[in-house]
Amino acid sequence: MTADARAEDLLRSLAPQVLGALVRRYGHFDACEDAVQEALLAAARQWPQEGLPESPRGWLITVASRRLADHWRSEEARRHREEAVAALEPPPGETPDRDDTLTLLFLCCHPALSAPSQLALTLRAVGGLTTAEIAHAFLVPESTMAQRISRAKQRIRAAGARFDLPHETERAERLRVVLQVLYLIFNEGYTASAGPDLQRTDLTAEAIRLTRELHRLMPEDGETTGLLALMLLTDARRPARTRTDGSLVPLAEQDRAAWDRAAIKEGTDLVAATLPHAVPGPYQLQAAIAAVHDEAERAEDTDWLQILGLYGLLERFAPGPMVTLNRAVALAMVDGPLAGLALLAELDDTLRGHHRLDAVRAHLLEQAGDPEAARTAYRAAARRTTSLPERRYLESRAARLGRPSGE
Amino acid sequence: MKYLLMIYMNPAVFESLSEAEQNAVMAEHDAFQKPIRESGELVGFAALADPSTSRTVRVREGVPAVTDGPYVEAKEFLAGYYVVDCETPERAEELAAQLPDARLTAIEVRAVMESGGLEM
């Protein structure tokens, strides 16, 4: 790792601690967040040239506090706060409060915010990414992302959020949102890693880093462990899931030698350690399914019976048409494509017009030996997907089945 | 998910409006932009010049040929667009319904393709 990358890593991990310390001391999440961003930028400029300060955390807190004071000083209407802030010199070497990262995560994933805003705010406040980096990752102009973040901060203030861990009862509900946001960040990076844009791969790394941190703070929570395992087991396949031209490689055709063995081991260990004790939840079950896939040496060795059982459980804990769709795939592998197709028929109302239903039906029709119907379904799926690599993949499957008579 | 809101214009419809009504349409566009700019949903927008200014380029057997006028000849033409980043398709439709042109002609809402995909 280069010195620059080390400094960057350090900044990312210090960002939530510094922000936590400031918000705890001064309140005003929005102003503190701006000040921390400025301090991070200053550090990113100065540290590579001048070397790391003795206490990077203390350095950041001091610089951010000064920026905060400058900011308040420059606002005429807030002059009365100036003395109060100026009097508060940051105490050197204060011990880090372990819960600050968690508190920040809960705050950024405030239910009053829309999902895109939760994502953006989490990446900035907890992940330490700059607005420009986040805007780049989500393919929107920086001004758009800046507005989204500033509006998000206004909203949590308007919702009366305080910098405290929510009550026990609210905490479980908020944790669910936190996990969802982390998973969304991961997926945003994972489903986009096909492009030439490396920044989005950074998002998966960031999501894993933040989930790891959350797992460190709440090791006893089964779903947090499950989510971390799910991310590791999914990300492990990244080197094999795209060809050099960016096209998608289906799971069954991936070169399993290219999978990240260390990530798979860590993921499966987490699943094995958690599943027997914790109350099973959707992330743990999905992680268990991913583990079964990843443990098979060859695609044909996949233990589909076990996967079918796990999807059955998942359907009980978190029912939804997408879960049923995946169970139909597993059922087809165990009992044959006709059984899978029969189950798909139940989804015609709930998933009508969804490209995933057409795509799965196409695969099963192809396996069942009905190329004509399979081609029609592949074409329908290709027309409906909004993912370019997916569309190319589906079109190539349709083309492989030949031209329909009369075309 | 990003959506393109395509504003289709029919000059006959627009010209039937009084000048005050035409100005009101433009003012509505300004009013439309403010809240979605603040929410961060607005990604970009452009008003396009009249299709009479269009030039259409074709390359046949390596030879480019440029002709005056639009590719598709129709009474209605694309007069401008917004790109919005919305949480649901319903929200994109809601925004389209707020555009004054939706009352005069129609707004076409189309999802923007993404560069990523799931392994299928």
Side-chain angles (χ1 to χ4, degrees):
Chain A
M1 204 188 270
T2 65
D4 277 9
R6 260 202 309 277
E8 200 176 305
D9 255 19
L10 183 63
L11 285 177
R12 294 236 162 118
S13 61
L14 287 176
Q17 297 177 32
V18 173
L19 180 55
L22 251 73
V23 178
R24 207 167 273 295
R25 193 173 299 144
Y26 305 121
H28 299 274
F29 173 77
D30 47 354
C32 290
E33 210 270 327
D34 286 336
V36 170
Q37 280 287 318
E38 287 177 39
L40 290 173
L41 282 173
R45 272 195 305 269
Q46 289 176 33
W47 292 3
Q49 278 164 27
E50 296 163 17
L52 288 186
E54 205 166 308
S55 159
R57 187 171 172 274
W59 189 98
L60 286 169
I61 292 177
T62 308
V63 172
S65 302
R66 271 191 216 132
R67 297 290 156 101
L68 195 61
D70 288 348
H71 171 71
W72 274 334
R73 198 172 291 133
S74 68
E75 280 185 41
E76 195 69 26
R78 299 186 175 186
R79 187 179 289 273
H80 62 280
R81 291 208 191 94
E82 185 188 337
E83 286 159 42
V85 172
L88 286 162
E89 271 302 305
E94 182 190 273
T95 48
D97 186 338
R98 280 174 58 97
D99 270 346
D100 273 356
T101 304
L102 191 58
T103 313
L104 268 180
L105 259 172
F106 276 118
L107 192 63
C108 295
C109 300
H110 198 279
L113 302 179
S114 69
S117 299
Q118 291 172 338
L119 250 67
L121 201 56
T122 302
L123 281 171
R124 208 174 105 128
V126 190
L129 267 66
T130 64
T131 307
E133 285 174 311
I134 303 167
H136 189 59
F138 289 92
L139 300 174
V140 296
E142 196 177 336
S143 57
T144 294
M145 194 47 82
Q147 283 297 345
R148 200 172 287 178
I149 289 169
S150 100
R151 176 50 75 95
K153 287 187 285 185
Q154 284 169 29
R155 275 194 89 109
I156 38 178
R157 191 174 50 188
R162 286 168 308 128
F163 191 68
D164 280 318
L165 278 177
H167 291 292
E168 200 72 37
T169 43
E170 205 194 325
R171 207 163 147 170
E173 176 58 20
R174 292 280 283 276
L175 180 64
R176 205 180 54 80
V177 180
V178 168
L179 294 176
Q180 206 171 26
V181 167
L182 293 173
Y183 194 38
L184 277 174
I185 294 173
F186 176 81
N187 279 327
E188 187 67 34
Y190 189 71
T191 56
S193 59
D197 212 330
L198 288 173
Q199 187 63 51
R200 309 195 79 180
T201 317
D202 277 7
L203 279 185
T204 53
E206 190 55 28
I208 291 173
R209 192 183 73 77
L210 293 176
T211 310
R212 219 186 262 289
E213 186 71 9
L214 186 63
H215 174 61
R216 193 179 64 77
L217 295 168
M218 318 184 70
E220 76 295 342
D221 184 73
E223 279 295 87
T224 303
T225 314
L227 180 61
L228 178 58
L230 177 59
M231 287 181 183
L232 290 166
L233 290 163
T234 310
D235 197 50
R237 299 180 204 143
R238 188 158 39 82
R241 64 190 285 270
T242 47
R243 297 189 184 85
T244 42
D245 63 357
S247 61
L248 289 171
V249 185
L251 192 54
E253 291 168 27
Q254 288 179 9
D255 172 12
R256 295 179 180 226
W259 285 358
D260 180 346
R261 290 288 144 197
I264 291 175
K265 167 124 190 7
E266 192 186 350
T268 44
D269 286 353
L270 285 170
V271 172
T274 314
L275 259 190
H277 317 293
V279 183
Y283 292 120
Q284 291 169 75
L285 290 167
Q286 288 180 81
I289 292 165
V292 177
H293 277 298
D294 288 7
E295 277 169 341
E297 293 275 337
R298 299 170 305 161
E300 54 268 43
D301 298 337
T302 307
D303 185 349
W304 284 103
L305 196 60
Q306 202 184 341
I307 290 178
L308 181 61
L310 287 166
Y311 272 121
L313 276 178
L314 190 56
E315 217 170 17
R316 262 202 1 240
F317 282 98
M322 284 302 168
V323 179
T324 309
L325 189 70
N326 286 321
R327 188 163 70 81
V329 174
L331 184 64
M333 298 307 285
V334 174
D335 287 343
L338 294 180
L341 285 166
L343 183 53
L344 286 190
E346 292 176 18
L347 294 169
D348 274 339
D349 286 332
T350 43
L351 281 183
R352 181 175 298 283
H354 196 290
H355 79 276
R356 285 269 292 148
L357 177 61
D358 288 318
V360 170
R361 180 167 280 142
H363 279 111
L364 298 188
L365 284 167
E366 189 180 349
Q367 284 168 30
D370 187 348
E372 197 88 9
R375 187 176 44 232
T376 308
Y378 277 128
R379 290 247 162 92
R383 276 197 306 274
R384 280 169 179 153
T385 178
T386 54
S387 149
L388 213 48
E390 242 168 41
R391 182 159 81 185
R392 286 202 204 103
Y393 167 77
L394 293 162
E395 275 167 355
S396 80
R397 294 297 291 210
R400 213 180 292 178
L401 293 170
R403 284 173 171 280
S405 47
E407 199 175 280
Chain B
M1 187 88 206
K2 292 187 193 64
Y3 295 88
L4 181 65
L5 311 184
M6 291 177 272
I7 302 163
Y8 277 89
M9 152 84 103
N10 183 328
V13 174
F14 198 68
E15 279 158 19
S16 71
L17 302 179
S18 70
E19 196 188 335
E21 284 169 326
Q22 291 185 359
N23 289 339
V25 166
M26 299 331 258
E28 275 189 70
H29 275 278
D30 290 340
F32 171 78
Q33 287 164 22
K34 194 173 179 293
I36 59 171
R37 195 190 294 280
E38 281 172 4
S39 68
E41 284 172 309
L42 180 65
V43 175
F45 65 96
L48 302 176
D50 190 85
S52 65
T53 65
S54 286
R55 313 270 276 162
T56 301
V57 179
R58 291 175 179 81
V59 179
R60 293 293 177 268
E61 287 163 10
V63 183
V66 182
T67 51
D68 285 337
Y71 178 60
V72 178
E73 295 280 2
K75 279 203 295 288
E76 290 86 7
F77 58 84
L78 187 65
Y81 65 83
Y82 286 95
V83 177
V84 290
D85 192 356
C86 296
E87 225 167 324
T88 61
E90 289 75 23
R91 171 67 180 155
E93 287 158 23
E94 189 184 308
L95 290 178
Q98 289 172 17
L99 286 165
D101 314 80
R103 296 194 305 269
L104 299 167
T105 46
I107 308 295
E108 184 176 331
V109 180
R110 191 108 63 91
V112 175
M113 294 291 277
E114 296 187 341
S115 61
L118 298 164
E119 61 220 294
M120 310 197 50

